Amino acid sequence: QVPLVESGGGLVQAGGSLRLSCAASGRTFSTYNIGWFRQAPGKDREFVSAISWNNGRTVYADSVQGRFTISRDNAKNTVYLQMNSLKSEDTAVYYCAADLSRPWRLGANEADYDYWGQGTQVTVSS
């Protein structure tokens, strides 16, 4: 088990910023990749961003490229998602997930991840 806890969500006006955190427990946090996904009401969960276990690689969905930045601090067992220039279409529940099985590849599909957090709500008002 890899407990993951998201935080940092809230209500923000369009154009504003939020920073989400994904905290994990366990000594092996630094050995697995972390992804962020989101699910808007009535829509499927979609990929947002992912970061490799060693900070060497990151990947972003086209919809957030240039506005969101993913980073991690392995000493704090935490991954961050800095979200700038937020839009109303960014409104969703945001989830972080851990991939323990494929450290060589950053996944963009739900099936690539083994453990999930409970999510944090982000609401962007226009």
Side-chain angles (χ1 to χ4, degrees), residues 30-62:
S30 61
T31 65
Y32 41 86
N33 300 335
I34 297 290
W36 282 97
F37 290 75
R38 66 186 182 186
Q39 187 168 22
K43 295 187 177 181
D44 294 334
R45 190 152 53 182
E46 65 175 3
F47 173 76
V48 175
S49 182
I51 187 166
S52 64
W53 61 275
N54 61 352
N55 272 317
R57 289 172 292 143
T58 59
V59 63
Y60 298 91
D62 289 344

PDB file of all heavy atoms in Angstrom, residues 30-62:
ATOM      1  N   SER A  30      10.782   7.766  -3.285  1.00  0.00           N
ATOM      2  CA  SER A  30      11.686   8.310  -4.294  1.00  0.00           C
ATOM      3  C   SER A  30      11.944   7.349  -5.444  1.00  0.00           C
ATOM      4  O   SER A  30      12.659   7.696  -6.379  1.00  0.00           O
ATOM      5  CB  SER A  30      13.013   8.695  -3.647  1.00  0.00           C
ATOM      6  OG  SER A  30      13.631   7.564  -3.075  1.00  0.00           O
ATOM      7  N   THR A  31      11.392   6.161  -5.394  1.00  0.00           N
ATOM      8  CA  THR A  31      11.664   5.179  -6.440  1.00  0.00           C
ATOM      9  C   THR A  31      10.514   5.026  -7.434  1.00  0.00           C
ATOM     10  O   THR A  31      10.618   4.205  -8.347  1.00  0.00           O
ATOM     11  CB  THR A  31      11.961   3.805  -5.831  1.00  0.00           C
ATOM     12  OG1 THR A  31      10.789   3.324  -5.166  1.00  0.00           O
ATOM     13  CG2 THR A  31      13.117   3.877  -4.851  1.00  0.00           C
ATOM     14  N   TYR A  32       9.427   5.759  -7.269  1.00  0.00           N
ATOM     15  CA  TYR A  32       8.353   5.587  -8.234  1.00  0.00           C
ATOM     16  C   TYR A  32       7.858   6.904  -8.812  1.00  0.00           C
ATOM     17  O   TYR A  32       7.982   7.962  -8.214  1.00  0.00           O
ATOM     18  CB  TYR A  32       7.189   4.777  -7.654  1.00  0.00           C
ATOM     19  CG  TYR A  32       6.785   5.068  -6.237  1.00  0.00           C
ATOM     20  CD1 TYR A  32       5.888   6.077  -5.954  1.00  0.00           C
ATOM     21  CD2 TYR A  32       7.246   4.283  -5.193  1.00  0.00           C
ATOM     22  CE1 TYR A  32       5.476   6.321  -4.660  1.00  0.00           C
ATOM     23  CE2 TYR A  32       6.841   4.524  -3.893  1.00  0.00           C
ATOM     24  CZ  TYR A  32       5.959   5.537  -3.627  1.00  0.00           C
ATOM     25  OH  TYR A  32       5.568   5.773  -2.333  1.00  0.00           O
ATOM     26  N   ASN A  33       7.313   6.782 -10.015  1.00  0.00           N
ATOM     27  CA  ASN A  33       6.781   7.933 -10.736  1.00  0.00           C
ATOM     28  C   ASN A  33       5.428   8.341 -10.159  1.00  0.00           C
ATOM     29  O   ASN A  33       4.667   7.504  -9.666  1.00  0.00           O
ATOM     30  CB  ASN A  33       6.609   7.605 -12.218  1.00  0.00           C
ATOM     31  CG  ASN A  33       7.913   7.216 -12.875  1.00  0.00           C
ATOM     32  OD1 ASN A  33       8.994   7.592 -12.422  1.00  0.00           O
ATOM     33  ND2 ASN A  33       7.816   6.445 -13.955  1.00  0.00           N
ATOM     34  N   ILE A  34       5.129   9.634 -10.265  1.00  0.00           N
ATOM     35  CA  ILE A  34       3.868  10.175  -9.763  1.00  0.00           C
ATOM     36  C   ILE A  34       3.160  10.915 -10.884  1.00  0.00           C
ATOM     37  O   ILE A  34       3.779  11.670 -11.642  1.00  0.00           O
ATOM     38  CB  ILE A  34       4.094  11.140  -8.587  1.00  0.00           C
ATOM     39  CG1 ILE A  34       4.735  10.417  -7.392  1.00  0.00           C
ATOM     40  CG2 ILE A  34       2.776  11.793  -8.182  1.00  0.00           C
ATOM     41  CD1 ILE A  34       3.824   9.433  -6.702  1.00  0.00           C
ATOM     42  N   GLY A  35       1.875  10.687 -10.983  1.00  0.00           N
ATOM     43  CA  GLY A  35       1.065  11.387 -11.971  1.00  0.00           C
ATOM     44  C   GLY A  35      -0.065  12.153 -11.316  1.00  0.00           C
ATOM     45  O   GLY A  35      -0.493  11.839 -10.201  1.00  0.00           O
ATOM     46  N   TRP A  36      -0.519  13.171 -12.029  1.00  0.00           N
ATOM     47  CA  TRP A  36      -1.726  13.915 -11.633  1.00  0.00           C
ATOM     48  C   TRP A  36      -2.785  13.706 -12.708  1.00  0.00           C
ATOM     49  O   TRP A  36      -2.486  13.800 -13.913  1.00  0.00           O
ATOM     50  CB  TRP A  36      -1.436  15.406 -11.503  1.00  0.00           C
ATOM     51  CG  TRP A  36      -0.728  15.823 -10.255  1.00  0.00           C
ATOM     52  CD1 TRP A  36       0.613  16.045 -10.106  1.00  0.00           C
ATOM     53  CD2 TRP A  36      -1.310  16.087  -8.979  1.00  0.00           C
ATOM     54  NE1 TRP A  36       0.888  16.426  -8.815  1.00  0.00           N
ATOM     55  CE2 TRP A  36      -0.284  16.463  -8.098  1.00  0.00           C
ATOM     56  CE3 TRP A  36      -2.617  16.039  -8.480  1.00  0.00           C
ATOM     57  CZ2 TRP A  36      -0.499  16.790  -6.760  1.00  0.00           C
ATOM     58  CZ3 TRP A  36      -2.844  16.360  -7.154  1.00  0.00           C
ATOM     59  CH2 TRP A  36      -1.796  16.733  -6.303  1.00  0.00           C
ATOM     60  N   PHE A  37      -3.996  13.459 -12.254  1.00  0.00           N
ATOM     61  CA  PHE A  37      -5.152  13.339 -13.127  1.00  0.00           C
ATOM     62  C   PHE A  37      -6.246  14.246 -12.574  1.00  0.00           C
ATOM     63  O   PHE A  37      -6.175  14.702 -11.429  1.00  0.00           O
ATOM     64  CB  PHE A  37      -5.658  11.888 -13.152  1.00  0.00           C
ATOM     65  CG  PHE A  37      -4.747  10.932 -13.856  1.00  0.00           C
ATOM     66  CD1 PHE A  37      -3.572  10.498 -13.280  1.00  0.00           C
ATOM     67  CD2 PHE A  37      -5.075  10.459 -15.117  1.00  0.00           C
ATOM     68  CE1 PHE A  37      -2.725   9.615 -13.930  1.00  0.00           C
ATOM     69  CE2 PHE A  37      -4.244   9.565 -15.787  1.00  0.00           C
ATOM     70  CZ  PHE A  37      -3.068   9.148 -15.191  1.00  0.00           C
ATOM     71  N   ARG A  38      -7.266  14.475 -13.382  1.00  0.00           N
ATOM     72  CA  ARG A  38      -8.395  15.258 -12.906  1.00  0.00           C
ATOM     73  C   ARG A  38      -9.677  14.728 -13.515  1.00  0.00           C
ATOM     74  O   ARG A  38      -9.674  14.136 -14.604  1.00  0.00           O
ATOM     75  CB  ARG A  38      -8.217  16.741 -13.234  1.00  0.00           C
ATOM     76  CG  ARG A  38      -8.241  17.070 -14.712  1.00  0.00           C
ATOM     77  CD  ARG A  38      -7.911  18.549 -14.938  1.00  0.00           C
ATOM     78  NE  ARG A  38      -7.959  18.917 -16.344  1.00  0.00           N
ATOM     79  CZ  ARG A  38      -7.596  20.104 -16.818  1.00  0.00           C
ATOM     80  NH1 ARG A  38      -7.152  21.051 -15.975  1.00  0.00           N
ATOM     81  NH2 ARG A  38      -7.677  20.370 -18.104  1.00  0.00           N
ATOM     82  N   GLN A  39     -10.763  14.976 -12.804  1.00  0.00           N
ATOM     83  CA  GLN A  39     -12.074  14.558 -13.291  1.00  0.00           C
ATOM     84  C   GLN A  39     -13.075  15.672 -13.051  1.00  0.00           C
ATOM     85  O   GLN A  39     -13.345  16.038 -11.900  1.00  0.00           O
ATOM     86  CB  GLN A  39     -12.524  13.276 -12.600  1.00  0.00           C
ATOM     87  CG  GLN A  39     -13.803  12.708 -13.191  1.00  0.00           C
ATOM     88  CD  GLN A  39     -14.080  11.299 -12.706  1.00  0.00           C
ATOM     89  OE1 GLN A  39     -13.590  10.862 -11.668  1.00  0.00           O
ATOM     90  NE2 GLN A  39     -14.873  10.565 -13.479  1.00  0.00           N
ATOM     91  N   ALA A  40     -13.598  16.189 -14.142  1.00  0.00           N
ATOM     92  CA  ALA A  40     -14.635  17.220 -14.076  1.00  0.00           C
ATOM     93  C   ALA A  40     -16.008  16.552 -14.006  1.00  0.00           C
ATOM     94  O   ALA A  40     -16.161  15.394 -14.419  1.00  0.00           O
ATOM     95  CB  ALA A  40     -14.553  18.112 -15.302  1.00  0.00           C
ATOM     96  N   PRO A  41     -17.008  17.246 -13.496  1.00  0.00           N
ATOM     97  CA  PRO A  41     -18.351  16.662 -13.401  1.00  0.00           C
ATOM     98  C   PRO A  41     -18.854  16.172 -14.749  1.00  0.00           C
ATOM     99  O   PRO A  41     -18.790  16.896 -15.750  1.00  0.00           O
ATOM    100  CB  PRO A  41     -19.196  17.837 -12.893  1.00  0.00           C
ATOM    101  CG  PRO A  41     -18.243  18.698 -12.166  1.00  0.00           C
ATOM    102  CD  PRO A  41     -16.950  18.590 -12.912  1.00  0.00           C
ATOM    103  N   GLY A  42     -19.300  14.939 -14.774  1.00  0.00           N
ATOM    104  CA  GLY A  42     -19.858  14.380 -15.990  1.00  0.00           C
ATOM    105  C   GLY A  42     -18.843  13.953 -17.028  1.00  0.00           C
ATOM    106  O   GLY A  42     -19.218  13.568 -18.144  1.00  0.00           O
ATOM    107  N   LYS A  43     -17.575  14.013 -16.687  1.00  0.00           N
ATOM    108  CA  LYS A  43     -16.528  13.650 -17.647  1.00  0.00           C
ATOM    109  C   LYS A  43     -15.653  12.534 -17.090  1.00  0.00           C
ATOM    110  O   LYS A  43     -15.624  12.288 -15.894  1.00  0.00           O
ATOM    111  CB  LYS A  43     -15.674  14.873 -17.985  1.00  0.00           C
ATOM    112  CG  LYS A  43     -16.425  15.972 -18.706  1.00  0.00           C
ATOM    113  CD  LYS A  43     -15.478  17.072 -19.149  1.00  0.00           C
ATOM    114  CE  LYS A  43     -16.219  18.137 -19.937  1.00  0.00           C
ATOM    115  NZ  LYS A  43     -15.302  19.222 -20.405  1.00  0.00           N
ATOM    116  N   ASP A  44     -14.930  11.898 -17.992  1.00  0.00           N
ATOM    117  CA  ASP A  44     -13.977  10.875 -17.583  1.00  0.00           C
ATOM    118  C   ASP A  44     -12.760  11.518 -16.930  1.00  0.00           C
ATOM    119  O   ASP A  44     -12.431  12.679 -17.183  1.00  0.00           O
ATOM    120  CB  ASP A  44     -13.528  10.054 -18.789  1.00  0.00           C
ATOM    121  CG  ASP A  44     -14.655   9.225 -19.383  1.00  0.00           C
ATOM    122  OD1 ASP A  44     -15.599   8.879 -18.636  1.00  0.00           O
ATOM    123  OD2 ASP A  44     -14.571   8.917 -20.595  1.00  0.00           O
ATOM    124  N   ARG A  45     -12.090  10.725 -16.129  1.00  0.00           N
ATOM    125  CA  ARG A  45     -10.847  11.209 -15.543  1.00  0.00           C
ATOM    126  C   ARG A  45      -9.797  11.334 -16.641  1.00  0.00           C
ATOM    127  O   ARG A  45      -9.691  10.449 -17.490  1.00  0.00           O
ATOM    128  CB  ARG A  45     -10.385  10.260 -14.441  1.00  0.00           C
ATOM    129  CG  ARG A  45      -9.244  10.781 -13.611  1.00  0.00           C
ATOM    130  CD  ARG A  45      -9.243  10.231 -12.199  1.00  0.00           C
ATOM    131  NE  ARG A  45      -9.292   8.797 -12.110  1.00  0.00           N
ATOM    132  CZ  ARG A  45      -9.336   8.123 -10.962  1.00  0.00           C
ATOM    133  NH1 ARG A  45      -9.348   8.786  -9.817  1.00  0.00           N
ATOM    134  NH2 ARG A  45      -9.381   6.809 -10.967  1.00  0.00           N
ATOM    135  N   GLU A  46      -9.027  12.432 -16.604  1.00  0.00           N
ATOM    136  CA  GLU A  46      -8.049  12.670 -17.656  1.00  0.00           C
ATOM    137  C   GLU A  46      -6.680  12.962 -17.059  1.00  0.00           C
ATOM    138  O   GLU A  46      -6.549  13.477 -15.952  1.00  0.00           O
ATOM    139  CB  GLU A  46      -8.482  13.837 -18.548  1.00  0.00           C
ATOM    140  CG  GLU A  46      -8.529  15.177 -17.856  1.00  0.00           C
ATOM    141  CD  GLU A  46      -8.845  16.326 -18.819  1.00  0.00           C
ATOM    142  OE1 GLU A  46      -9.076  16.092 -20.008  1.00  0.00           O
ATOM    143  OE2 GLU A  46      -8.842  17.484 -18.345  1.00  0.00           O
ATOM    144  N   PHE A  47      -5.682  12.648 -17.845  1.00  0.00           N
ATOM    145  CA  PHE A  47      -4.302  12.875 -17.457  1.00  0.00           C
ATOM    146  C   PHE A  47      -3.982  14.362 -17.460  1.00  0.00           C
ATOM    147  O   PHE A  47      -4.431  15.102 -18.341  1.00  0.00           O
ATOM    148  CB  PHE A  47      -3.376  12.146 -18.425  1.00  0.00           C
ATOM    149  CG  PHE A  47      -1.922  12.438 -18.228  1.00  0.00           C
ATOM    150  CD1 PHE A  47      -1.220  11.867 -17.179  1.00  0.00           C
ATOM    151  CD2 PHE A  47      -1.257  13.286 -19.095  1.00  0.00           C
ATOM    152  CE1 PHE A  47       0.124  12.131 -17.003  1.00  0.00           C
ATOM    153  CE2 PHE A  47       0.088  13.558 -18.928  1.00  0.00           C
ATOM    154  CZ  PHE A  47       0.784  12.984 -17.875  1.00  0.00           C
ATOM    155  N   VAL A  48      -3.179  14.789 -16.464  1.00  0.00           N
ATOM    156  CA  VAL A  48      -2.742  16.180 -16.388  1.00  0.00           C
ATOM    157  C   VAL A  48      -1.226  16.282 -16.545  1.00  0.00           C
ATOM    158  O   VAL A  48      -0.727  17.003 -17.407  1.00  0.00           O
ATOM    159  CB  VAL A  48      -3.174  16.812 -15.045  1.00  0.00           C
ATOM    160  CG1 VAL A  48      -2.618  18.226 -14.921  1.00  0.00           C
ATOM    161  CG2 VAL A  48      -4.694  16.814 -14.911  1.00  0.00           C
ATOM    162  N   SER A  49      -0.503  15.533 -15.712  1.00  0.00           N
ATOM    163  CA  SER A  49       0.951  15.654 -15.725  1.00  0.00           C
ATOM    164  C   SER A  49       1.561  14.473 -14.976  1.00  0.00           C
ATOM    165  O   SER A  49       0.872  13.796 -14.206  1.00  0.00           O
ATOM    166  CB  SER A  49       1.370  16.971 -15.063  1.00  0.00           C
ATOM    167  OG  SER A  49       2.774  17.137 -15.090  1.00  0.00           O
ATOM    168  N   ALA A  50       2.842  14.236 -15.198  1.00  0.00           N
ATOM    169  CA  ALA A  50       3.550  13.184 -14.471  1.00  0.00           C
ATOM    170  C   ALA A  50       5.017  13.563 -14.347  1.00  0.00           C
ATOM    171  O   ALA A  50       5.550  14.328 -15.174  1.00  0.00           O
ATOM    172  CB  ALA A  50       3.411  11.833 -15.173  1.00  0.00           C
ATOM    173  N   ILE A  51       5.643  13.006 -13.318  1.00  0.00           N
ATOM    174  CA  ILE A  51       7.065  13.267 -13.084  1.00  0.00           C
ATOM    175  C   ILE A  51       7.757  11.965 -12.728  1.00  0.00           C
ATOM    176  O   ILE A  51       7.201  11.108 -12.023  1.00  0.00           O
ATOM    177  CB  ILE A  51       7.240  14.324 -11.969  1.00  0.00           C
ATOM    178  CG1 ILE A  51       8.709  14.744 -11.835  1.00  0.00           C
ATOM    179  CG2 ILE A  51       6.678  13.831 -10.637  1.00  0.00           C
ATOM    180  CD1 ILE A  51       8.903  16.009 -11.007  1.00  0.00           C
ATOM    181  N   SER A  52       8.958  11.801 -13.234  1.00  0.00           N
ATOM    182  CA  SER A  52       9.695  10.570 -12.976  1.00  0.00           C
ATOM    183  C   SER A  52      10.243  10.550 -11.557  1.00  0.00           C
ATOM    184  O   SER A  52      10.336  11.577 -10.889  1.00  0.00           O
ATOM    185  CB  SER A  52      10.830  10.415 -13.984  1.00  0.00           C
ATOM    186  OG  SER A  52      11.773  11.468 -13.816  1.00  0.00           O
ATOM    187  N   TRP A  53      10.643   9.361 -11.138  1.00  0.00           N
ATOM    188  CA  TRP A  53      11.085   9.155  -9.759  1.00  0.00           C
ATOM    189  C   TRP A  53      12.299  10.001  -9.403  1.00  0.00           C
ATOM    190  O   TRP A  53      12.478  10.376  -8.240  1.00  0.00           O
ATOM    191  CB  TRP A  53      11.407   7.676  -9.540  1.00  0.00           C
ATOM    192  CG  TRP A  53      12.505   7.170 -10.432  1.00  0.00           C
ATOM    193  CD1 TRP A  53      12.381   6.709 -11.707  1.00  0.00           C
ATOM    194  CD2 TRP A  53      13.898   7.100 -10.126  1.00  0.00           C
ATOM    195  NE1 TRP A  53      13.602   6.351 -12.206  1.00  0.00           N
ATOM    196  CE2 TRP A  53      14.558   6.576 -11.257  1.00  0.00           C
ATOM    197  CE3 TRP A  53      14.653   7.411  -8.997  1.00  0.00           C
ATOM    198  CZ2 TRP A  53      15.929   6.369 -11.294  1.00  0.00           C
ATOM    199  CZ3 TRP A  53      16.016   7.198  -9.016  1.00  0.00           C
ATOM    200  CH2 TRP A  53      16.648   6.693 -10.170  1.00  0.00           C
ATOM    201  N   ASN A  54      13.131  10.318 -10.394  1.00  0.00           N
ATOM    202  CA  ASN A  54      14.372  11.032 -10.108  1.00  0.00           C
ATOM    203  C   ASN A  54      14.337  12.492 -10.583  1.00  0.00           C
ATOM    204  O   ASN A  54      15.378  13.131 -10.704  1.00  0.00           O
ATOM    205  CB  ASN A  54      15.549  10.324 -10.774  1.00  0.00           C
ATOM    206  CG  ASN A  54      15.403  10.278 -12.286  1.00  0.00           C
ATOM    207  OD1 ASN A  54      14.366  10.644 -12.828  1.00  0.00           O
ATOM    208  ND2 ASN A  54      16.440   9.829 -12.971  1.00  0.00           N
ATOM    209  N   ASN A  55      13.139  13.012 -10.845  1.00  0.00           N
ATOM    210  CA  ASN A  55      12.975  14.399 -11.323  1.00  0.00           C
ATOM    211  C   ASN A  55      13.533  14.620 -12.721  1.00  0.00           C
ATOM    212  O   ASN A  55      13.580  15.748 -13.188  1.00  0.00           O
ATOM    213  CB  ASN A  55      13.658  15.391 -10.373  1.00  0.00           C
ATOM    214  CG  ASN A  55      12.745  15.842  -9.264  1.00  0.00           C
ATOM    215  OD1 ASN A  55      11.582  16.137  -9.490  1.00  0.00           O
ATOM    216  ND2 ASN A  55      13.271  15.914  -8.064  1.00  0.00           N
ATOM    217  N   GLY A  56      13.949  13.543 -13.378  1.00  0.00           N
ATOM    218  CA  GLY A  56      14.588  13.715 -14.668  1.00  0.00           C
ATOM    219  C   GLY A  56      13.643  14.031 -15.811  1.00  0.00           C
ATOM    220  O   GLY A  56      14.057  14.628 -16.806  1.00  0.00           O
ATOM    221  N   ARG A  57      12.409  13.587 -15.676  1.00  0.00           N
ATOM    222  CA  ARG A  57      11.472  13.766 -16.782  1.00  0.00           C
ATOM    223  C   ARG A  57      10.111  14.230 -16.277  1.00  0.00           C
ATOM    224  O   ARG A  57       9.678  13.844 -15.191  1.00  0.00           O
ATOM    225  CB  ARG A  57      11.295  12.446 -17.530  1.00  0.00           C
ATOM    226  CG  ARG A  57      12.503  12.008 -18.339  1.00  0.00           C
ATOM    227  CD  ARG A  57      12.274  10.599 -18.873  1.00  0.00           C
ATOM    228  NE  ARG A  57      12.260   9.621 -17.795  1.00  0.00           N
ATOM    229  CZ  ARG A  57      11.460   8.569 -17.765  1.00  0.00           C
ATOM    230  NH1 ARG A  57      10.598   8.354 -18.742  1.00  0.00           N
ATOM    231  NH2 ARG A  57      11.502   7.719 -16.758  1.00  0.00           N
ATOM    232  N   THR A  58       9.482  15.047 -17.089  1.00  0.00           N
ATOM    233  CA  THR A  58       8.115  15.465 -16.824  1.00  0.00           C
ATOM    234  C   THR A  58       7.333  15.422 -18.128  1.00  0.00           C
ATOM    235  O   THR A  58       7.910  15.491 -19.218  1.00  0.00           O
ATOM    236  CB  THR A  58       8.047  16.890 -16.246  1.00  0.00           C
ATOM    237  OG1 THR A  58       8.656  17.796 -17.178  1.00  0.00           O
ATOM    238  CG2 THR A  58       8.754  16.991 -14.908  1.00  0.00           C
ATOM    239  N   VAL A  59       6.041  15.294 -17.993  1.00  0.00           N
ATOM    240  CA  VAL A  59       5.168  15.303 -19.169  1.00  0.00           C
ATOM    241  C   VAL A  59       3.866  15.994 -18.783  1.00  0.00           C
ATOM    242  O   VAL A  59       3.434  15.911 -17.619  1.00  0.00           O
ATOM    243  CB  VAL A  59       4.926  13.871 -19.690  1.00  0.00           C
ATOM    244  CG1 VAL A  59       4.204  13.030 -18.655  1.00  0.00           C
ATOM    245  CG2 VAL A  59       4.173  13.883 -20.998  1.00  0.00           C
ATOM    246  N   TYR A  60       3.277  16.684 -19.760  1.00  0.00           N
ATOM    247  CA  TYR A  60       2.060  17.443 -19.511  1.00  0.00           C
ATOM    248  C   TYR A  60       1.027  17.192 -20.604  1.00  0.00           C
ATOM    249  O   TYR A  60       1.375  16.961 -21.768  1.00  0.00           O
ATOM    250  CB  TYR A  60       2.360  18.948 -19.489  1.00  0.00           C
ATOM    251  CG  TYR A  60       3.301  19.378 -18.403  1.00  0.00           C
ATOM    252  CD1 TYR A  60       4.673  19.436 -18.634  1.00  0.00           C
ATOM    253  CD2 TYR A  60       2.821  19.718 -17.137  1.00  0.00           C
ATOM    254  CE1 TYR A  60       5.541  19.824 -17.632  1.00  0.00           C
ATOM    255  CE2 TYR A  60       3.682  20.109 -16.137  1.00  0.00           C
ATOM    256  CZ  TYR A  60       5.042  20.159 -16.389  1.00  0.00           C
ATOM    257  OH  TYR A  60       5.900  20.549 -15.381  1.00  0.00           O
ATOM    258  N   ALA A  61      -0.225  17.275 -20.220  1.00  0.00           N
ATOM    259  CA  ALA A  61      -1.287  17.289 -21.210  1.00  0.00           C
ATOM    260  C   ALA A  61      -1.224  18.612 -21.973  1.00  0.00           C
ATOM    261  O   ALA A  61      -0.815  19.638 -21.419  1.00  0.00           O
ATOM    262  CB  ALA A  61      -2.640  17.149 -20.521  1.00  0.00           C
ATOM    263  N   ASP A  62      -1.636  18.575 -23.216  1.00  0.00           N
ATOM    264  CA  ASP A  62      -1.605  19.792 -24.036  1.00  0.00           C
ATOM    265  C   ASP A  62      -2.419  20.915 -23.399  1.00  0.00           C
ATOM    266  O   ASP A  62      -2.063  22.089 -23.514  1.00  0.00           O
ATOM    267  CB  ASP A  62      -2.160  19.489 -25.432  1.00  0.00           C
ATOM    268  CG  ASP A  62      -1.223  18.635 -26.256  1.00  0.00           C
ATOM    269  OD1 ASP A  62      -0.031  18.511 -25.896  1.00  0.00           O
ATOM    270  OD2 ASP A  62      -1.690  18.071 -27.273  1.00  0.00           O
TER     271      ASP A  62
END
